[in-house]
Amino acid sequence: MPELIVYRSNALMSVRSRFDSTRDLVMPANLAYAEAMVGMWHAGLPQVTLVPSTATDAQVWPVMSAVGTKIHDTADDNCPINTGWSYVGGNHGYNVGNQIVVTNHGKTTIDVGSQWTDGTRTFTLLAITNANSLLFGNPYTIVDGIAQGARVKPAAPLTHLSGATHTATVPITGLTPDVQIRPATHSHTVAVELDGRPVPDGRSTGQELTIRESYLIPSYRGMIDTARANIGTPIATIMSRIPSLCRISNVYRWSQGGLLVGQTVAALERFTLNAGVTQCGPLTPVAGGSRRQFMPNVGTAGGLNWSVWANIDTLAALTDFTPATLTNRLIPASSMTQWVVNSGQVQQWGIAVGLLPVADGVPEIRARYTTAKGWFITSSLKKNYPQLVWGRTMEAGESVTGTAYRRYLAPPSAATEIVVSDSTDDFVMIERVEAVAQAQMPAPQLFHRLLVPAGPTNLTVPDRVAVGGISYSMPVPTGYGMWRAEPDPASVGPLPGVTGPRGSYFLVLAGPTEPVTYTGSYQSLLLHPMYLAEPTPVDRVCVEITATGTGTMRHGVYAHDPATGRPAVLGPIADFGSVAVTSVGVKESVLSVPVVLPAGWHWYGHVWQTSGVTPPTLRASSAGAATTTLNLGTSSAAMTGDRFGYEVTGTTGALGAITIAGVHQLPPPRVAYRRA
């Protein structure tokens, strides 16, 4: 997979990956956003941003410089849950507070938890905001065994009922209703890994950044009752004493161009749950342009036709997507593609968002719990996302789990054709508005896999992924589909040579060899495709010099980018360092820390450096990867002569990010590894 660059300073992170041939995508991550929650915003990177691939680390971190183009505000996108009367969790608190400005009110901490009345309802003093401001919690009611807060404001000045030392009446002339009560979470834990390793401060590279968090949401009834039972004690200091409503467990996985979010809500008392896993604000528009959105299996809602490119900037009111708005009412709306276009309707940047059909996100399960609302969009566009459940009564001990994806899209794009993988399955998504006679979605990583429909689908595709990808046709406009790519049954027994004890050496390529000289290849990094049947940890790597030369040979391994069929360009999986070529024999690099070579394809790279006077000769494979498919680019001229891999010119030092200059003619060296 393509690599990530992760920049970290304590709780703040920026995640960089390749967007297209000239630009990178930089996404923010924050381990201590609102109330220590994980968030997708920080001051150094206020929006997801596109930067030139040539941008230096210093230009993007710790503060994004003017080199970037902002494309998506994600400041509010760490998704809360909804209890039917208030959002809470994420960066939200219960919105049933009344903030009252009273100059020199005279109340102090010893009055916290006291009760006050407007003559009809009882309000609880929850916090002394400052010398001129007070926060009151609203009353709650019990309906069918479920506590519900009330969005009401005092109808008259608040007079003292019980618990306060300073009992002067509180006027309501400076009242602000529906204020969020914070803190509304506690017992937060968070863990961060990059490919299973801890992420230190500074710059790191890897394949996938994973952040896991868990926290408790106290019940509103428990918050009010606990405050009343502990007069003079701020509830922020005794959160663990408050009975809990539920536990939230989130897993965020950043990879090339996007984010996968898994959320589990475990009920600890009876309540009503609305949950959407991923909240998504709108993309950032360009001057004079607009934002267009297509939604599979959706017709007309909110006055817009979502089966074509709907202009969401004209959405007049909050819009619910109920079964009545769907083409197939048994399958709730599960995905969308949104594009920013300029005044000439030219695409600028896009995003695909949706729920995966796993756990409680399986369409048949969602259909039971989203009859009132399967998706909704506010008129401000601040919320625009699918609902995992809406109005589901949760009993203590029950839980719901969903996984959502968001993938940023580069123009030009006639169709959304993406593969999204969770920890278990690979899913293929195709969404297209305009008709096409014949189209082909590249999917080399899924070759020969079975395609099983897993969501709303009106396209016909082959049963299996072919070597050329997934073919489909769309004679009329608006086509879409979601499939699970099922692997074939495992082959019987291990392949010859793929297993062995620690400390044993193995060849990646077996067969006849020939001597190959580095003539004309000084400072050219030569990359060869290699294949392993299983992930293998190695701690030594060997090549053989058969005729001496001057200088050194540096070598390492790059990941495979299935989207391009080429090496991942952001940096190597491992740089093995240099070996001298001034004497013949087996030259061995010893790794201070073992590296795991991935299962499937990777790219072995080697470059002659330091002194270009006399080219050395290596023992190389005379068969090797000669039959491997190789993308020659836009010209057939490169087919002449032997072609064994890709070339990166001007490689003078340590291996790093690369720009492929073309194909080369040197057979792959014979490489042996030692299992760690």
Side-chain angles (χ1 to χ4, degrees):
M1 290 178 62
E3 286 193 334
L4 303 178
I5 297 175
V6 178
Y7 308 95
R8 180 176 184 181
S9 176
N10 197 10
L12 305 184
M13 297 182 179
S14 291
V15 185
R16 181 176 182 176
S17 64
R18 185 54 54 95
F19 182 69
D20 58 20
S21 60
T22 61
R23 295 177 293 179
D24 291 351
L25 184 79
V26 189
M27 299 175 283
N30 191 339
L31 304 183
Y33 186 33
E35 300 177 19
M37 300 294 98
V38 170
M40 290 174 266
W41 182 92
H42 63 73
L45 183 61
Q47 289 198 27
V48 175
T49 301
L50 291 178
V51 301
S53 297
T54 55
T56 65
D57 294 338
Q59 289 176 303
V60 304
W61 177 261
V63 175
M64 177 62 66
S65 68
V67 72
T69 301
K70 299 174 182 177
I71 69 167
H72 194 200
D73 184 353
T74 54
D76 199 45
D77 282 6
N78 53 332
C79 194
I81 63 168
N82 185 285
T83 63
W85 52 272
S86 176
Y87 284 96
V88 67
N91 59 346
H92 292 65
Y94 288 113
N95 63 344
V96 287
N98 281 291
Q99 192 89 30
I100 304 178
V101 174
V102 183
T103 303
N104 298 322
H105 52 64
K107 307 291 188 292
T108 66
T109 298
I110 62 174
D111 301 307
V112 169
S114 57
Q115 299 178 51
W116 302 74
T117 181
D118 64 353
T120 304
R121 292 173 291 261
T122 299
F123 298 82
T124 304
L125 181 60
L126 291 181
I128 312 299
T129 311
N130 55 51
N132 302 305
S133 181
L134 302 169
L135 177 65
F136 288 87
N138 291 358
Y140 64 82
T141 57
I142 306 296
V143 179
D144 193 24
I146 297 174
Q148 299 180 354
R151 296 182 67 177
V152 296
K153 56 185 179 181
L158 295 175
T159 59
H160 178 250
L161 279 180
S162 65
T165 300
H166 305 96
T167 61
T169 296
V170 178
I172 60 171
T173 52
L175 184 147
T176 301
D178 303 334
V179 171
Q180 295 186 34
I181 298 171
R182 292 193 171 98
T185 63
H186 66 93
S187 302
H188 184 257
T189 64
V190 64
V192 186
E193 293 180 341
L194 182 63
D195 299 339
R197 307 184 307 272
V199 182
D201 279 0
R203 182 187 190 274
S204 304
T205 61
Q207 309 295 318
E208 183 178 82
L209 174 68
T210 302
I211 300 177
R212 294 178 172 85
E213 73 171 341
S214 174
Y215 56 87
L216 291 170
I217 297 177
S219 73
Y220 182 68
R221 172 174 57 181
M223 186 179 291
I224 296 298
D225 291 353
T226 301
R228 291 177 177 178
N230 294 271
I231 299 294
T233 305
I235 59 171
T237 66
I238 53 173
M239 294 292 285
S240 60
R241 300 187 200 173
I242 302 174
S244 294
L245 180 78
C246 63
R247 177 179 291 279
I248 304 294
S249 301
N250 294 326
V251 180
Y252 302 87
R253 293 200 287 270
W254 279 265
S255 58
Q256 187 207 21
L259 172 65
L260 202 66
V261 182
Q263 184 177 71
T264 296
V265 182
L268 298 175
E269 70 173 39
R270 193 168 195 259
F271 77 105
T272 299
L273 175 64
N274 309 320
V277 182
T278 182
Q279 183 168 313
C280 186
L283 293 174
T284 303
V286 295
S290 61
R291 290 165 287 197
R292 306 294 172 124
Q293 183 166 311
F294 166 67
M295 300 180 67
N297 194 40
V298 177
T300 299
L304 298 179
N305 181 5
W306 304 90
S307 67
V308 295
W309 290 113
N311 183 351
I312 62 175
D313 295 311
T314 65
L315 190 68
L318 185 151
T319 299
D320 294 335
F321 295 83
T322 64
T325 66
L326 306 176
T327 303
N328 182 343
R329 298 190 176 196
L330 299 179
I331 302 181
S334 61
S335 64
M336 66 89 161
T337 295
Q338 184 183 125
W339 280 96
V340 168
V341 297
N342 64 14
S343 57
Q345 302 304 301
V346 176
Q347 295 171 333
Q348 303 298 298
W349 44 79
I351 190 172
V353 175
L355 274 175
L356 292 182
V358 298
D360 293 284
V362 172
E364 293 80 4
I365 297 176
R366 281 188 67 214
R368 294 169 52 193
Y369 298 111
T370 58
T371 54
K373 188 179 303 192
W375 192 298
F376 78 101
I377 307 177
T378 60
S379 57
S380 67
L381 307 181
K382 189 175 181 180
K383 299 180 188 295
N384 178 5
Y385 60 107
Q387 296 303 300
L388 182 68
V389 296
W390 189 269
R392 178 174 174 177
T393 299
M394 302 285 292
E395 302 293 344
E398 291 184 334
S399 64
V400 297
T401 298
T403 301
Y405 65 90
R406 57 175 66 194
R407 179 75 60 81
Y408 292 96
L409 307 173
S413 175
T416 302
E417 299 173 347
I418 60 175
V419 177
V420 177
S421 302
D422 66 0
S423 58
T424 304
D425 297 301
D426 299 310
F427 294 94
V428 174
M429 286 82 151
I430 299 175
E431 299 177 8
R432 190 180 192 117
V433 173
E434 290 77 21
V436 63
Q438 186 65 42
Q440 194 91 353
M441 172 184 171
Q445 72 274 43
L446 303 179
F447 173 58
H448 209 59
R449 302 272 284 275
L450 296 169
L451 293 176
V452 179
T457 302
N458 69 356
L459 287 176
T460 300
V461 300
D463 291 339
R464 291 182 182 273
V465 180
V467 66
I470 303 168
S471 61
Y472 65 94
S473 62
M474 222 175 74
V476 296
T478 309
Y480 49 83
M482 180 184 291
W483 301 266
R484 179 182 285 103
E486 299 281 6
D488 279 340
S491 58
V492 178
L495 296 175
V498 300
T499 58
R502 294 176 61 184
S504 65
Y505 289 82
F506 66 96
L507 295 171
V508 182
L509 297 175
T513 63
E514 62 182 348
V516 172
T517 304
Y518 265 117
T519 303
S521 296
Y522 182 61
Q523 295 183 348
S524 287
L525 175 63
L526 308 177
L527 294 150
H528 301 271
M530 305 278 185
Y531 187 88
L532 286 175
E534 61 183 16
T536 306
V538 299
D539 59 6
R540 297 188 182 191
V541 55
C542 310
V543 293
E544 183 181 0
I545 305 299
T546 59
T548 61
T550 56
T552 60
M553 187 199 87
R554 193 173 198 105
H555 57 163
V557 167
Y558 283 76
H560 179 65
D561 183 349
T564 64
R566 292 186 171 196
V569 298
L570 290 184
I573 295 174
D575 185 336
F576 300 142
S578 298
V579 295
V581 298
T582 53
S583 62
V584 298
V586 173
K587 306 297 179 178
E588 187 170 78
S589 296
V590 179
L591 308 183
S592 58
V593 178
V595 63
V596 177
L597 299 179
W601 292 102
H602 66 269
W603 294 80
Y604 173 81
H606 55 110
V607 53
W608 173 32
Q609 295 179 330
T610 308
S611 171
V613 177
T614 304
T617 299
L618 284 72
R619 185 177 301 282
S621 170
S622 60
T627 59
T628 299
T629 302
L630 201 66
N631 183 355
L632 297 176
T634 58
S635 172
S636 60
M639 72 174 287
T640 59
D642 296 332
R643 301 298 181 185
F644 290 97
Y646 296 107
E647 181 178 22
V648 179
T649 57
T651 306
T652 57
L655 303 183
I658 58 175
T659 299
I660 294 172
V663 291
H664 68 79
Q665 294 183 288
L666 270 74
R670 166 165 279 185
V671 182
Y673 292 100
R674 193 180 81 162
R675 291 179 180 84

